[in-house]
């Protein structure tokens, strides 16, 4: 059963949410009740994308990102709050455990992905996770340990 309820959250009017068990598609996309959801404000490396710096290729960061998101969600009940959809018709959601919204980026699944260095802040659309990205860089978490030459967006552009 699909649950869509208007919410009056502090980060915007006309807010809706969807709750259920999530299936991970990749490092920044999930599906709840058959509905595609893109994690708002973050950009994870693509499944076929390997990360490399100027010296060597150090891993399949896209697959690692997906695995990390699977571990984060791990069969739990997830809620995604949203106001809009992207050009592909996916909900642009801020996702969290259970149904209670904390309005704290670090308690959001989106923010956890950035803080752990498994995704980057997608500052083209929002600066919500920029502080968490700066912490991840400073701590050399995940992808920041060795660095990378291409952001997910740059990699996608080259592959088209």
């Amino acid at each position: 059963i699909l649950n869509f309820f208007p919410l009056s959250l502090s980060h915007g009017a006309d807010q809706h949410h969807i709750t259920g068990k999530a299936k991970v598609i990749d490092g920044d996309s999930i599906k709840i009740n058959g509905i595609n959801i893109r994690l708002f404000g973050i950009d994870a490396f693509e499944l076929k994308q390997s990360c490399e710096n100027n010296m060597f290729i150090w891993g399949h960061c896209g697959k690692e990102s997906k695995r990390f998101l699977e571990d984060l969600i791990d069969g739990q009940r997830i809620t995604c709050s949203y106001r809009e959809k992207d050009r592909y018709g996916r909900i642009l959601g801020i996702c969290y455990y259970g149904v209670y919204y904390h309005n704290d980026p670090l308690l959001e699944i989106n923010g956890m992905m950035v803080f752990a260095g498994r995704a980057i802040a997608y500052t083209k659309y929002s600066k919500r996770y920029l502080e968490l990205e700066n912490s991840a860089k400073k701590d050399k978490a995940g992808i920041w340990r060795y660095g990378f030459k291409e952001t997910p967006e740059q990699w996608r552009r080259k592959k088209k």
Side-chain angles (χ1 to χ4, degrees):
I1 296 175
L2 212 54
N3 294 321
F4 287 95
F5 298 103
L7 296 176
S8 55
L9 300 176
S10 59
H11 70 298
D14 298 330
Q15 199 75 21
H16 304 280
H17 75 255
I18 181 171
T19 300
K21 301 266 182 173
K23 177 183 185 328
V24 174
I25 306 304
D26 59 26
D28 54 26
S29 302
I30 61 173
K31 208 177 250 205
I32 295 177
N33 302 328
I35 306 291
N36 290 323
I37 301 162
R38 172 72 160 77
L39 300 181
F40 171 80
I42 74 170
D43 201 12
F45 293 88
E46 299 300 320
L47 289 175
K48 293 182 179 178
Q49 186 175 0
S50 292
C51 282
E52 58 185 277
N53 58 24
N54 291 325
M55 306 268 296
F56 62 99
I57 295 174
W58 59 265
H60 297 283
C61 48
K63 289 178 184 170
E64 290 173 21
S65 182
K66 179 183 179 186
R67 255 192 311 271
F68 190 83
L69 183 56
E70 287 170 336
D71 289 345
L72 272 181
I73 289 175
D74 194 30
Q76 297 184 59
R77 186 172 179 205
I78 302 298
T79 298
C80 297
S81 299
Y82 67 97
R83 282 181 293 212
E84 59 188 325
K85 294 183 177 185
D86 68 8
R87 63 184 174 165
Y88 303 108
R90 298 175 296 184
I91 287 171
L92 293 171
I94 294 176
C95 302
Y96 44 94
Y97 300 109
V99 295
Y100 180 68
Y101 182 71
H102 299 276
N103 199 23
D104 178 347
L106 188 53
L107 297 177
E108 298 162 3
I109 292 167
N110 313 38
M112 289 180 207
M113 290 294 291
V114 173
F115 184 72
R118 297 307 194 274
I120 61 174
Y122 210 172
T123 57
K124 178 177 177 179
Y125 298 105
S126 173
K127 300 209 180 339
R128 182 174 184 83
Y129 303 106
L130 189 55
E131 281 185 43
L132 295 177
E133 180 180 287
N134 290 335
S135 293
K137 283 181 191 176
K138 187 176 133 256
D139 295 341
K140 295 190 181 336
I143 56 175
W144 301 107
R145 183 169 186 180
Y146 301 110
F148 52 91
K149 285 199 287 191
E150 292 179 312
T151 65
E153 185 175 36
Q154 291 165 335
W155 189 87
R156 286 191 299 271
R157 271 201 201 114
K158 277 177 60 177
K159 298 299 176 190
K160 286 192 174 193

